[in-house]
Amino acid sequence: MIEAVKILLIEPSYIIKEGLRSALGRLNLSFRIDEVDEVKENLVLTLEKFTPRIVFANHRALETKWAGNRSAAVFDEVLLVGMYNEKVTLFEMARYDEVLCIEENKQQIISSLQNILKKAGLLSNESETENLSEREREVLRFVALGLTNNEIAERLFISTFTVMTHRKNITRKLGIKTVSGLTVYAILNKIIESGEVNVF
Amino acid sequence: MLINEEMKMAEVIHLNHHLLHVINRFGIQLGYGEKTVKQLCAEHELPLPFFLEIVNTFHDPSYFPVDAMLRFDAALLIRYLQQTHAYYLEFRIPEIEQYITRLTTDESWDEAVKRLIRDFFHQYVFELTQHIKREEDRVYPYVLALAHYLETGQGEKELVESLMHYSIQEYENEHDDVESKLFDLKNIIIKYIPRPKDSRILNLILHELFELEDDLHNHSHIENMILVPIVERMEKEFFALTRNGRHD
């Protein structure tokens, strides 16, 4: 994954916070963590403030502030991971998307985290530097030449939506986000000639 | 370990030398002797809590500014942010520029590759400069006018006018674009440059780019975590005042 995943950690224990941070650091994931000891107002406000992709929450720090209602729009994009210990029944954890037992050992914690992130599509099995497919090279060529998504769709007889999917995959595979960055890549890799395009 | 007022400034630097630039921006230069953070802040007439918040936000990415920062003086914060901008434009960028020039005069490099890197970097600098200019021309004067009004009750009409064109929430969204280009430049150099005979000069450029990226990231962190909440607090007060006041 290229973009840093925003993570919110709701947990009062310093040791658990640092522990989770260190465990996440062992995965092939780039992330940014915001931390709060507890949810002071309501959970929706906290989520709106930090806009995380994943929340790791201590069940005890959350239970009185949130009854499990997920109707607010802000929940749509969030993966809620409840952290529990042996004193909590799994029944209580049903409100979370995923659960993480904090009493597991190092290997177990890391593999639980890997499973959770893979299921959410945040950790891929593939290596980061896959080669571009033939179609992706074509799309890249047109992007570098300055065509819009619509124009590319017309030329290749595919939908604009498919063009956007290709572009996402190109960016993911190459680690290049901007059009001018992709243009430089295309020139360096002889996908286009520098004479073909007025680069900057 | 967080930075506290009793620490000697020299210890602070031994703990984290990346803070040197930040401390410089407050006007505190090297040659600290045995002075503590508290003593140096007093000498430079800097409010201690403000200094500590900024430095700790930089020092520890997980550090969360205390609620008291909502009461910080907006003018002070803006002066600091302007110093940071000046540091980027007058120091950091010209430094990278020098390395780029060294690269472009190195005969062992392919002309086309050199030109691509140089042009891409210049385009990035242009966009960064535009972004900074927008902040300094639009955002900061607005924040200062807001603070001025809350303090003196003057300038309400102009404020209402600029509010119609701008609100601090938009500002939060503007940050990501410039970051992408820097990210791309790093990746192009790391992954896609045709393998050079000697990559030492590129190593230097990369090192600088990573440092710049870290610094910019911290800078926008401070803007989002400290400036934005302060302005939101002031906007609330402003609306409350005008709603209850004679305009109702």
Side-chain angles (χ1 to χ4, degrees):
Chain A
M1 281 293 137
I2 295 147
E3 219 147 327
V5 176
K6 272 165 104 177
I7 295 176
L8 175 65
L9 189 47
I10 305 172
E11 166 65 60
S13 157
Y14 173 65
I15 287 180
I16 293 178
K17 269 195 271 207
E18 289 299 307
L20 188 67
R21 196 181 269 282
S22 141
L24 285 165
R26 289 169 195 279
L27 307 177
N28 184 17
L29 175 80
S30 100
F31 59 89
R32 286 182 196 167
I33 296 192
D34 287 307
E35 301 177 350
V36 291
D37 285 350
E38 54 173 347
V39 176
K40 284 183 191 138
E41 297 151 45
N42 67 52
L43 182 60
V44 175
L45 282 181
T46 309
L47 294 183
E48 281 170 356
K49 180 169 176 193
F50 292 101
T51 64
R53 177 69 182 82
I54 315 176
V55 176
F56 287 96
N58 176 320
H59 177 63
R60 291 284 179 239
L62 208 57
E63 60 180 344
T64 54
K65 303 287 175 189
W66 179 55
N69 178 354
R70 301 188 56 161
S71 57
V74 68
F75 283 108
D76 295 351
E77 295 288 311
V78 178
L79 181 78
L80 265 180
V81 184
M83 298 190 289
Y84 70 100
N85 58 22
E86 60 183 10
K87 291 186 193 117
V88 180
T89 65
L90 273 173
F91 173 72
E92 289 179 79
M93 303 306 289
R95 60 174 70 169
Y96 300 99
D97 299 317
E98 300 286 346
V99 293
L100 183 71
C101 175
I102 56 167
E103 282 164 5
E104 287 179 335
N105 71 27
K106 178 176 166 184
Q107 274 320 315
Q108 288 166 331
I109 288 268
I110 289 176
S111 102
S112 302
L113 284 173
Q114 272 171 339
N115 288 337
I116 291 171
L117 293 166
K118 266 183 201 163
K119 262 199 260 175
L122 294 167
L123 204 60
S124 66
N125 298 316
E126 311 135 9
S127 82
E128 282 185 19
T129 47
E130 290 167 86
N131 289 323
L132 296 181
S133 71
E134 208 37 56
R135 207 2 98 82
E136 283 161 355
R137 280 173 75 91
E138 277 179 294
V139 172
L140 174 61
R141 182 180 148 75
F142 287 132
V143 171
L145 289 172
L147 272 65
T148 65
N149 287 347
N150 282 335
E151 288 166 342
I152 298 172
E154 272 176 34
R155 297 255 185 128
L156 297 177
F157 305 103
I158 55 180
S159 73
T160 315
F161 180 78
T162 310
V163 175
M164 281 156 65
T165 308
H166 283 311
R167 286 188 66 161
K168 258 185 221 152
N169 288 335
I170 293 168
T171 289
R172 181 177 56 81
K173 287 181 180 178
L174 300 182
I176 300 180
K177 299 177 188 174
T178 64
V179 173
S180 39
L182 290 171
T183 307
V184 171
Y185 174 87
I187 296 172
L188 288 175
N189 286 277
K190 314 255 185 296
I191 295 174
I192 59 172
E193 297 286 322
S194 56
E196 275 184 274
V197 59
N198 188 5
V199 189
F200 301 109
Chain B
M1 182 188 177
L2 288 180
I3 313 294
N4 66 60
E5 59 185 73
E6 300 302 338
M7 285 170 80
K8 288 183 179 170
M9 195 64 94
E11 288 172 43
V12 174
I13 301 305
H14 280 296
L15 185 65
N16 181 355
H17 70 271
H18 294 282
L19 293 173
L20 271 171
H21 302 304
V22 183
I23 291 165
N24 283 170
R25 284 172 212 157
F26 288 102
I28 304 177
Q29 307 297 337
L30 287 171
Y32 310 131
E34 302 301 322
K35 286 180 181 151
T36 63
V37 169
K38 194 177 176 180
Q39 287 168 329
L40 278 165
C41 279
E43 238 174 64
H44 289 79
E45 295 177 11
L46 274 170
L48 191 58
F50 176 71
F51 178 86
L52 288 174
E53 282 308 293
I54 299 279
V55 168
N56 278 317
T57 307
F58 242 98
H59 174 55
D60 179 355
S62 69
Y63 179 74
F64 198 77
V66 293
D67 289 341
M69 61 92 192
L70 275 180
R71 293 282 143 201
F72 283 163
D73 181 1
L76 197 65
L77 180 58
I78 286 190
R79 199 155 64 229
Y80 168 80
L81 294 171
Q82 283 169 332
Q83 290 288 338
T84 314
H85 286 164
Y87 166 77
Y88 296 145
L89 298 184
E90 290 162 23
F91 187 77
R92 191 113 237 177
I93 296 288
E95 206 174 54
I96 304 177
E97 181 82 58
Q98 281 183 6
Y99 289 133
I100 300 266
T101 310
R102 257 174 72 186
L103 177 76
T104 46
T105 49
D106 184 339
E107 299 292 328
S108 67
W109 282 84
D110 180 64
E111 270 313 309
V113 171
K114 287 193 293 198
R115 213 187 62 221
L116 278 175
I117 295 181
R118 190 195 59 207
D119 291 353
F120 194 79
F121 176 70
H122 284 163
Q123 201 190 19
Y124 167 71
V125 172
F126 175 74
E127 283 175 23
L128 179 70
T129 313
Q130 292 287 95
H131 173 77
I132 286 176
K133 208 168 129 43
R134 204 160 47 236
E135 284 188 355
E136 303 221 336
D137 291 351
R138 291 176 61 192
V139 186
Y140 296 172
Y142 164 65
V143 177
L144 291 175
L146 200 54
H148 181 70
Y149 173 77
L150 290 175
E151 207 173 295
T152 65
Q154 284 169 357
E156 179 187 330
K157 206 168 135 250
E158 294 81 352
L159 257 182
V160 173
E161 224 156 77
S162 63
L163 257 176
M164 296 204 291
H165 299 289
Y166 203 77
S167 143
I168 195 69
Q169 269 157 12
E170 288 176 41
Y171 164 74
E172 282 184 88
N173 303 330
E174 282 182 9
H175 269 131
D176 292 342
D177 308 340
V178 194
E179 283 174 27
S180 303
K181 202 147 253 162
L182 186 54
F183 179 90
D184 285 0
L185 181 55
K186 277 168 38 199
N187 250 343
I188 287 171
I189 296 178
I190 296 171
K191 289 160 80 175
Y192 301 120
I193 288 287
R195 194 170 296 159
K197 282 198 205 77
D198 179 353
S199 49
R200 276 178 298 183
I201 186 73
L202 278 180
N203 294 350
L204 286 172
I205 293 175
L206 263 181
H207 177 75
E208 289 288 321
L209 293 179
F210 273 105
E211 291 258 316
L212 176 64
E213 188 181 42
D214 269 356
D215 202 318
L216 282 166
H217 176 64
N218 279 311
H219 180 64
S220 60
H221 190 63
I222 284 173
E223 289 178 323
N224 292 335
M225 300 306 271
I226 303 182
L227 181 65
V228 171
I230 289 179
V231 176
E232 280 171 349
R233 192 255 307 161
M234 292 199 298
E235 282 181 350
K236 250 186 231 164
E237 283 177 28
F238 173 70
F239 286 128
L241 277 174
T242 47
R243 212 167 292 141
N244 301 330
R246 55 208 181 283
H247 283 277
D248 190 26

